[in-house]
Amino acid sequence: SQKIEQNSEALNIQEGKTATLTCNYTNYSPAYLQWYRQDPGRGPVFLLLIRENEKEKRKERLKVTFDTTLKQSLFHITASQPADSATYLCALERSSYKLIFGSGTRLLVRP
Amino acid sequence: KAGVTQTPRYLIKTRGQQVTLSCSPISGHRSVSWYQQTPGQGLQFLFEYFSETQRNKGNFPGRFSGRQFSNSRSEMNVSTLELGDSALYLCASSPAEVSVREQYFGPGTRLTVT
């Protein structure tokens, strides 16, 4: 069955450093992959979408890469800030109209 | 544009009761998806509606049902509540029509079953 794996351990980094989060998937070749941010007690917020024919996508301090051979996406936050502390989720459209989410990685940015 | 709204925000029910949750999508969005989020299972897909038709559903028992109205507002119903149904129920709308990319989530309804 389709599996989406994200590092369950929290990532703890110093302010100003680059945070890199990983999303690995199996048994599927998605047309695109999405990243969301979720703060405690709130709904996820859409951040970026990258298509299978795109190697890299950027939005302000965010960068996403998509390697369909490795079945992996990397999510980078450059010049990280304490306000970036949240849980980050990756998601794939598993079958038509059904979005499957990874379990998320919690990011903690220390001032 | 106003965001996705969900009502009620908090709900406490007793085992065996039923509950109805409501979701109003962003204006112009016709796709509405529902998710259950628990600490142990993460975000689990319940079902997706588009123009009043259910296009896909997740692996949940038949006690979980939903519907969508002509104005794209959606409701989900859980009958015969169980303790394990305690969760955050999230609704999301999408501007896409042939996929469910770029979903916009509501704040969720926190359901506690006692």
Side-chain angles (χ1 to χ4, degrees), chain A residues 27-70:
Chain A
N27 300 335
Y28 190 53
S29 297
Y32 54 86
L33 183 146
Q34 308 181 53
W35 283 89
Y36 290 77
R37 166 187 172 140
Q38 186 173 25
D39 292 285
R42 308 185 76 166
V45 174
F46 171 77
L47 296 175
L48 279 171
L49 178 151
I50 185 165
R51 301 181 191 282
E52 61 178 340
N53 60 350
E54 297 176 313
K55 296 294 184 186
E56 183 179 297
K57 196 108 174 243
R58 292 174 185 261
K59 179 182 176 182
E60 297 172 353
R61 295 184 296 111
L62 309 180
K63 185 179 85 170
V64 172
T65 63
F66 193 11
D67 189 324
T68 55
T69 301
L70 290 178

Side-chain angles (χ1 to χ4, degrees), chain A residues 32 34 36 38 40-46 49 51 89 93-103, chain B residues 9 35 37 43 45 48 55-59 88 90 97-107 110:
Chain A
Y32 54 86
Q34 308 181 53
Y36 290 77
Q38 186 173 25
R42 308 185 76 166
V45 174
F46 171 77
L49 178 151
R51 301 181 191 282
L89 305 157
E93 191 163 351
R94 170 62 182 92
S95 59
S96 296
Y97 319 120
K98 180 178 181 179
L99 202 58
I100 303 299
F101 284 83
S103 55
Chain B
R9 292 293 312 278
Y35 298 87
Q37 187 171 36
L43 263 170
F45 173 80
E48 189 266 356
R55 297 194 293 187
N56 208 332
K57 61 179 294 187
N59 297 323
L88 181 66
L90 291 158
E97 295 188 4
V98 296
S99 72
V100 287
R101 65 181 185 273
E102 196 175 333
Q103 296 202 334
Y104 294 85
F105 283 80
R110 173 73 63 183

Side-chain angles (χ1 to χ4, degrees), chain B residues 5 8 21 23 26-28 32-33 41-42 47 51 53-55 74 78 82 87 89 95 103 106 110 114:
Chain B
T5 59
L21 312 181
C23 170
I26 291 173
S27 177
V32 174
S33 297
Q41 297 297 317
F47 25 66
S51 290
T53 300
Q54 186 184 88
R55 297 194 293 187
S74 178
V78 188
E82 300 177 359
Y89 289 88
Q103 296 202 334
R110 173 73 63 183
T114 63

